[in-house]
Amino acid sequence: MGIAVALALVVIGSVVFHFLSPWWWTPIASNWRYIDNTIIITFWITGAVFAAVVLFMAYCVFRFRHREGSRAAYEPENKRLEWWLAIGTGVGVAAMLAPGLVVWGQFVTVPKDAATVEIVGQQWQWSYRLPGADGRLGATDVAHVSPENPLGLDPKDPHGQDDIIIQGDQLHLQLEKPVRMLLRSLDVVHDFYVPEFRAKMDMIPGTVTYYWLTPTRTGTFEALCAELCSTGHSFMRGGVVVEPEGDYRAWLQQQKTFAQLQAPAKRQARN
Ligand SMILES: [Cu+2]
């Protein structure tokens, strides 16, 4: 009896903790409420199954407890029950996975009017690049990486000359403007993650991954690396500032292009 009550208390305690817990998501700052919704669906399904299984255990412990003279029935197979369990599990798993497929389709279908930002991860810092006046990012290759050209832009590609290289570890984004995030890594796998955006993706060396989002709330948010990338992983932090168009343009005005940043290096090389 004691064990049955303890099991029931575990269920009640879990449900109460879920609703009263102070550990919930930070308030969302992007359009990806769908991602919260898929997680909530998973919570409901796994929570209901957890409660049902543990309460069933409590019932069995109580109902079939040891009594003098009673004997257990031996039933090695039950086709009907197995079918029900297989179908029920299948439906539950499908209900958890199907919404994710729909959200994934939206997550990688970038709207036509989206701006572009490139985020580059390397041990252990973030760098950012924006297309310049031509609206195109220049080609890159890790072979071009040097102290003067830390992002490895191809110096011969004309599209790269006007690219804006953000100095410092804070990226600015315009409020309510969709933005395509192009993700690149110079060494190992990283993952650019702003919890308020509910959006992240691994950055794989040798390829460019992407997703998009629309920032929906102004503020300064912390960007974290969400993929263990060796000893400095926990210090791999940056920031994202979401601001209205006017402030964003003012910030953009102060940024330097690749050509401007290369000029002093070239002058030095000539001397
Ligand atoms: Cu990292």
Side-chain angles (χ1 to χ4, degrees), residues 39-74:
I39 295 172
I40 289 169
I41 291 172
T42 302
F43 259 141
W44 275 106
I45 293 173
T46 54
V49 170
F50 171 78
V53 167
V54 177
L55 288 177
F56 180 67
M57 272 163 54
Y59 167 76
C60 291
V61 166
F62 175 71
R63 175 78 176 72
F64 303 109
R65 67 189 181 280
H66 174 71
R67 267 172 295 204
E68 220 45 66
S70 63
R71 293 192 57 185
Y74 179 58

Side-chain angles (χ1 to χ4, degrees), residues 69-260:
S70 63
R71 293 192 57 185
Y74 179 58
E75 193 180 338
E77 273 199 70
N78 184 331
K79 277 254 151 62
R80 236 170 68 119
L81 180 64
E82 282 160 23
W83 268 110
W84 276 117
L85 286 177
I87 291 170
T89 309
V91 169
V93 171
M96 285 190 285
L97 295 184
L101 288 177
V102 176
V103 176
W104 173 258
Q106 295 169 345
F107 195 57
V108 294
T109 307
V110 183
K112 286 215 163 50
D113 61 336
T116 297
V117 171
E118 180 192 61
I119 301 166
V120 182
Q122 61 180 305
Q123 289 171 327
W124 291 276
Q125 59 182 353
W126 305 110
S127 314
Y128 312 103
R129 176 166 68 126
L130 309 173
D134 65 356
R136 288 182 59 172
L137 287 169
T140 60
D141 193 311
V142 282
H144 298 303
V145 171
S146 69
E148 296 78 41
N149 185 3
L151 299 187
L153 272 69
D154 182 346
K156 297 216 174 63
D157 184 354
H159 294 300
Q161 295 300 318
D162 65 348
D163 286 5
I164 294 157
I165 314 282
I166 309 300
Q167 307 292 297
D169 60 1
Q170 261 197 343
L171 173 69
H172 288 227
L173 293 177
Q174 187 183 321
L175 183 69
E176 299 295 349
K177 169 88 178 160
V179 58
R180 175 207 333 251
M181 314 287 254
L182 299 175
L183 309 169
R184 196 154 66 85
S185 167
L186 296 182
D187 39 41
V188 299
V189 179
H190 299 283
D191 193 312
F192 185 80
Y193 180 41
V194 176
E196 286 83 355
F197 288 161
R198 307 292 199 274
K200 63 174 173 171
M201 194 179 285
D202 279 4
M203 317 166 115
I204 315 289
T207 189
V208 178
T209 53
Y210 71 93
Y211 63 85
W212 73 277
L213 64 92
T214 303
T216 53
R217 185 156 66 84
T218 55
T220 302
F221 307 107
E222 195 170 23
L224 312 162
C225 185
E227 190 65 69
L228 187 60
C229 58
S230 179
T231 52
H233 169 66
S234 54
F235 306 109
M236 192 163 169
R237 284 155 187 245
V240 174
V241 178
V242 176
E243 56 198 359
E245 187 173 357
D247 295 344
Y248 176 76
R249 297 230 164 272
W251 169 82
L252 197 58
Q253 288 287 312
Q254 294 165 9
Q255 306 307 313
K256 293 212 165 71
T257 64
F258 178 63
Q260 285 167 344

